[in-house]
Amino acid sequence: MRVYLDNNATTIVDPQVKNAMEPFISQYYGNPNSLHAFASDTHIDLNNGLEKIYAGIHAPKQDSVIVTSCATESNNWVLKSIYFEYILSGRKNHIIISEVEHPSIIATARFLESLGAKITYLPINSEGLIETQTLIDNLTDKTALVSIMWANNETGAIFPVEEMATICKEKGVLFHTDAVQAIGKIKIDMKDNDIDYLTFSAHKFHGPKGVGGLFMRKGKELTPLFHGGEQMGGYRSGTLNVPGIVGMGKAMELAVDAIDFDMPDVKELRDHLEDELLKIKDTFVVTPRKKRTDNTMLISFRGVEGESMLWDLNKAGIAASTGSACASVDLESNPVMEAIGAEADLAHTAIRFSLSRFTTKEEIDYTIGVVNEAVTRLREISSSYAYTPKNHNSQL
Ligand code: 7TS
């Protein structure tokens, strides 16, 4: 059996999305900016795709949704543009992010730090959550931007970004959220919040890879990262990714519908997996269920090295992860586990299971059996486990 439980890394393209994209790969392949019918043949579907993206996040018409190549691009764009406009010019000098942002935020912030920007990395608490007061305590009149993700990719922890955005607005500070893990899991209404910029990526919600976007509030337009053509109002030059935009629109429509129709079933399967795995002795889950996305679980089995567990799972056809795939070549301990201050022997044992609306009950039951066998086998050969004094289950 092959079981895919790494949906926070990427997702299968929904067959309906694939069908919607197909004509724009083989038939209607004109460059939309050209002056002939091959170009104009694409216009209606391009507009429909964009409209579906606006509708999915309830973006007001006067604001902009700019299509990019991925969330990494959108995140880089926001931070670098704020640096160009506010920090390089000397108007402000400070950016706040959290210490558990995706590397596309953290590495960009470190780069800007090397150029002279002051960066604050907000800590998370022992439940993997960020407290609003921590943000308030760190805002200064030199703060140009706050960038906090909506939902964490490792734990699924949901951060209070709407509340934080309102606080920032009152202080005249711009607010960006990386909503990559929130689309299709949390209802997003950009008509009803104070968020200035919002990042998303199609391949995380059953759309194609290589296409994402950035919502940008009117009056808060960013300096383009790419200069060249007039595409996307001059904010993001480069020939439009027609199949990608059509596919992302369809995927957004389906993902937002799935919040009410499919996510309750996904949650039931995730909870079943979690309940069964927590029956294993010395097992811990980060972040209470009510405070995280319904598809995600980060779980630690004391004495079981995360990479060894992945090996056993992979041999049995199951895909999970020990952390962000972007950082998986260097066998470091899970960054969120380190940030919550977990003991070293637990930080190396975290496994992330992330489900989707395509996950089935059989797959979950099969996974429960395989994980149980793997934990038993790996603890038997573990040099450290036998000497561990603690043997209780709990949430960290
Ligand atoms: N932001 C978040 C919160 C993410 O989870 C990811 C990918 C990205 C940005 C980057 O998205 P992309 O469109 O540039 O690919 N996260 C992961 C992960 O958790 N495991 O593998 C990739």
Side-chain angles (χ1 to χ4, degrees):
M1 196 169 193
R2 273 165 70 79
V3 182
Y4 186 75
L5 297 176
D6 197 15
N7 287 281
N8 286 8
T10 196
T11 56
I12 186 170
V13 174
D14 188 300
Q16 292 185 65
V17 171
K18 184 169 170 261
N19 288 344
M21 292 172 70
E22 170 56 33
F24 300 94
I25 295 166
S26 44
Q27 204 178 343
Y28 305 114
Y29 53 81
N31 183 328
N33 284 39
S34 300
L35 296 175
H36 46 63
F38 285 77
S40 52
D41 279 350
T42 65
H43 289 178
I44 289 176
D45 294 273
L46 260 180
N47 283 337
N48 283 342
L50 284 170
E51 268 177 25
K52 285 179 174 154
I53 299 166
Y54 271 80
I57 56 171
H58 300 280
K61 278 274 177 292
Q62 80 262 18
D63 299 329
S64 310
V65 173
I66 306 294
V67 175
T68 62
S69 63
C70 60
T72 297
E73 180 189 329
S74 302
N75 287 345
N76 267 264
W77 182 19
V78 177
L79 267 69
K80 288 176 180 167
S81 177
I82 295 299
Y83 174 80
F84 293 143
E85 285 177 38
Y86 291 86
I87 300 180
L88 200 55
S89 68
R91 282 200 275 166
K92 298 203 172 182
N93 69 1
H94 183 213
I95 294 175
I96 299 178
I97 66 169
S98 83
E99 60 179 353
V100 291
E101 296 300 309
H102 183 265
S104 54
I105 292 284
I106 296 201
T108 307
R110 290 219 177 100
F111 171 64
L112 298 181
E113 210 165 17
S114 76
L115 300 181
K118 194 167 169 288
I119 311 286
T120 300
Y121 301 85
L122 293 186
I124 51 171
N125 66 20
S126 58
E127 288 188 335
L129 300 166
I130 303 176
E131 287 153 25
T132 307
Q133 189 59 42
T134 328
L135 170 65
I136 296 170
D137 294 344
N138 282 282
L139 285 170
T140 75
D141 25 332
K142 287 285 188 186
T143 310
L145 176 78
V146 172
S147 177
I148 305 286
M149 66 207 321
W150 201 312
N152 181 264
N153 46 315
E154 307 288 353
T155 56
I158 298 170
F159 298 145
V161 290
E162 292 178 301
E163 191 188 336
M164 290 175 161
T166 303
I167 292 164
C168 287
K169 190 178 179 190
E170 283 161 9
K171 305 241 174 205
V173 175
L174 295 167
F175 191 90
H176 166 243
T177 188
D178 173 348
V180 161
Q181 301 291 346
I183 304 277
K185 295 163 197 158
I186 298 168
K187 288 184 182 162
I188 295 182
D189 187 348
M190 299 307 288
K191 285 199 173 69
D192 198 29
N193 66 42
D194 295 318
I195 294 166
D196 296 305
Y197 310 105
L198 177 134
T199 289
F200 52 91
S201 183
H203 74 99
K204 305 285 184 174
F205 51 92
H206 304 290
K209 292 171 183 58
V211 59
L214 184 74
F215 168 91
M216 191 162 73
R217 207 55 90 184
K218 186 178 165 62
K220 312 272 177 73
E221 286 84 359
L222 297 169
T223 307
L225 201 55
F226 299 173
H227 295 89
E230 292 166 4
Q231 293 92 351
M232 289 282 144
Y235 286 108
R236 205 282 184 182
S237 299
T239 301
L240 295 180
N241 176 353
V242 182
I245 295 170
V246 170
M248 181 156 69
K250 186 70 193 167
M252 177 74 91
E253 181 179 64
L254 296 170
V256 170
D257 281 352
I259 296 177
D260 286 329
F261 294 108
D262 299 294
M263 283 320 279
D265 297 339
V266 174
K267 177 173 167 30
E268 204 173 301
L269 287 180
R270 192 277 314 268
D271 289 353
H272 173 55
L273 176 64
E274 190 166 318
D275 289 340
E276 291 304 311
L277 296 187
L278 278 173
K279 289 180 184 162
I280 301 173
K281 204 169 96 173
D282 287 339
T283 301
F284 307 86
V285 170
V286 179
T287 309
R289 277 185 204 171
K290 282 203 181 114
K291 296 181 182 168
R292 65 183 135 106
T293 46
D294 290 337
N295 76 318
T296 306
M297 172 200 335
L298 185 67
I299 186 162
S300 281
F301 306 96
R302 194 185 287 281
V304 178
E305 188 71 31
E307 276 73 27
S308 315
M309 172 65 106
L310 280 195
W311 172 268
D312 276 23
L313 293 181
N314 189 43
K315 264 203 326 199
I318 300 168
S321 111
T322 50
S324 173
C326 320
S328 64
V329 276
D330 39 16
L331 299 180
E332 288 169 3
S333 60
N334 186 287
V336 176
M337 295 295 283
E338 281 189 359
I340 63 169
E343 303 150 54
D345 68 329
L346 271 188
H348 283 89
T349 66
I351 295 280
R352 177 182 72 184
F353 293 103
S354 47
L355 287 66
S356 84
R357 61 178 189 259
F358 292 90
T359 308
T360 65
K361 174 86 169 36
E362 283 106 45
E363 291 173 346
I364 292 299
D365 285 336
Y366 172 70
T367 303
I368 292 164
V370 172
V371 173
N372 268 280
E373 280 168 31
V375 171
T376 308
R377 187 184 86 79
L378 293 166
R379 279 183 177 165
E380 270 166 19
I381 57 169
S382 161
S383 55
S384 63
Y385 183 66
Y387 303 104
T388 307
K390 295 183 188 139
N391 63 349
H392 60 276
N393 291 2
S394 80
Q395 302 231 316
L396 278 174

